[in-house]
Amino acid sequence: MAARISPGYDKCRQKLSEIVPISTPFTLFVTPSQLCNFRCAYCTQSLSGERKEEIDFRSQLLDYGLFLNIAGQASEFPGKFKRVLLTGLGEPLMNPRIPEMVAALRNLGVADHYEVFTNASLLTPRLSDELLHSGLTCLRISIQGVTKRKYEEITGRDVDVEGLIENIAYFFHHRKACRVYLKIMDACLEGGDEERFFSLFGGICDDIFIEHLVKAQPSMGDYDGRADNVRTFYGEPSETREVCPYMFYTLQTDAVGNVFPCPPLGLPLKFSLGNVLDTPLFDIWRGERLRRLRLAHLTGRREEIEPCRRCSCYRSFTPQEDNLDGNPEEIIERMIAEA
């Protein structure tokens, strides 16, 4: 197997408590599509239309004009993002302008890395060529099974697994400097499937991993008991934290321009920090609403914040470098000095 068995996160991390507040988020998550061709059993897309309305989820594509607005605002930060990740509660490749989006971000020079997170079922040689030409630096692929039967069970769709493998292989063999990370959730595997997974996909990606199903989408609860936060996405021991670190280094925009302080998917609209049509991204990042949210966590008042009070999504990824619990007073002092 050519691929490394390696979790899909940056291990060269700075100690967050020593550098926050930062002038530019490390990661910007942009949602090109809130439509998906799959209805995966562990995803919000599997919920009924009525339930989606209850959580303010709108099934639509990101308008290209709105995207250009977001991209332009991203270029106004004083520094570069480490990465822009085109992802969200939908399949990015359903947006026909996804290669143009990557190219626009690259041309503006807003980040060091440009990534797309996809189920790859819509990947074709032509689309692969367009994505690679656009300046994409990493394609993240989520596999939902190693057999046609398992794919149908997980996604509710009839998937040509052999064709999927062929299209991923085309991308991989033409990738040049673009890396391919390929993963599957442990919940999508049955006894004996691990070896088959590595055999089928280990030769057509740079890094491969079996991720652990965790409670990462608030709308899904505990996935009927199938998910936990004992381990992280990457199988490491999960730790309880008083201060959620996500809001200190990430921003996420949805398909209609709402901005959220953290990457958990399916958050209620009332938790939005604002909309890019009304307030620029940089002003949101430096704004009072996000400042109050950070201070609530740093001063032990997260229980007063909904949905933070019930959220354990941060436990899906708890590296020691991101731990902000040890010296909140110093962070608050720096926040006050920066204001």
Side-chain angles (χ1 to χ4, degrees), residues 131-255:
L131 285 169
L132 291 167
H133 180 71
S134 73
L136 191 70
T137 61
C138 181
L139 187 69
R140 294 177 173 268
I141 299 174
S142 180
I143 299 300
Q144 313 305 322
V146 296
T147 64
K148 187 181 183 71
R149 180 191 61 77
K150 193 63 177 180
Y151 252 94
E152 184 172 1
E153 176 189 325
I154 296 294
T155 72
R157 298 292 184 265
D158 183 3
V159 176
D160 177 6
V161 178
E162 291 183 3
L164 174 70
I165 293 171
E166 289 176 4
N167 285 325
I168 294 172
Y170 179 93
F171 186 98
F172 178 72
H173 293 308
H174 292 80
R175 74 195 187 286
K176 297 181 182 178
C178 182
R179 295 193 65 79
V180 177
Y181 173 72
L182 190 146
K183 63 91 174 177
I184 194 169
M185 288 291 183
D186 51 11
C188 298
L189 295 172
E190 298 176 348
D193 281 351
E194 288 191 16
E195 183 177 344
R196 180 170 172 78
F197 169 66
F198 289 124
S199 174
L200 286 174
F201 297 99
I204 53 173
C205 60
D206 297 290
D207 297 285
I208 191 168
F209 205 73
I210 298 174
E211 294 184 359
H212 177 54
L213 181 62
V214 299
K215 293 188 282 187
Q217 296 184 31
S219 57
M220 297 300 291
D222 68 351
Y223 301 81
D224 296 325
R226 291 175 298 157
D228 62 64
N229 282 123
V230 176
R231 291 179 288 150
T232 69
F233 269 130
Y234 307 108
E236 300 157 345
S238 177
E239 298 180 359
T240 301
R241 300 278 165 81
E242 295 299 321
V243 182
C244 178
Y246 292 146
M247 71 187 77
F248 290 86
Y249 69 91
T250 70
L251 279 178
Q252 172 151 288
T253 65
D254 68 11

Side-chain angles (χ1 to χ4, degrees), residues 260-315:
F260 294 88
C262 47
L265 305 171
L267 291 167
L269 183 57
K270 64 183 178 182
F271 196 56
S272 167
L273 300 171
N275 190 290
V276 297
L277 295 175
D278 305 313
T279 310
L281 271 176
F282 183 65
D283 290 349
I284 289 174
W285 178 248
R286 293 290 301 271
E288 183 61 21
R289 189 163 184 178
L290 183 52
R291 180 177 176 275
R292 289 199 306 266
L293 181 62
R294 289 170 175 164
L295 285 173
H297 278 244
L298 289 167
T299 55
R301 295 180 293 111
R302 67 178 292 170
E303 291 293 316
E304 299 175 11
I305 308 295
E306 188 68 32
C308 298
R309 179 169 55 84
R310 296 178 292 106
C311 182
S312 62
C313 295
Y314 74 92
R315 293 193 60 176

Side-chain angles (χ1 to χ4, degrees), residues 328-339:
E329 296 83 5
E330 292 180 20
I331 298 172
I332 292 171
E333 287 180 8
R334 293 199 298 266
M335 289 174 60
I336 293 171
E338 185 189 66

Side-chain angles (χ1 to χ4, degrees), residues 26-38:
F26 292 156
T27 303
L28 175 64
F29 298 91
V30 178
T31 303
S33 171
Q34 287 177 193
L35 297 172
C36 191
N37 57 329
F38 285 176

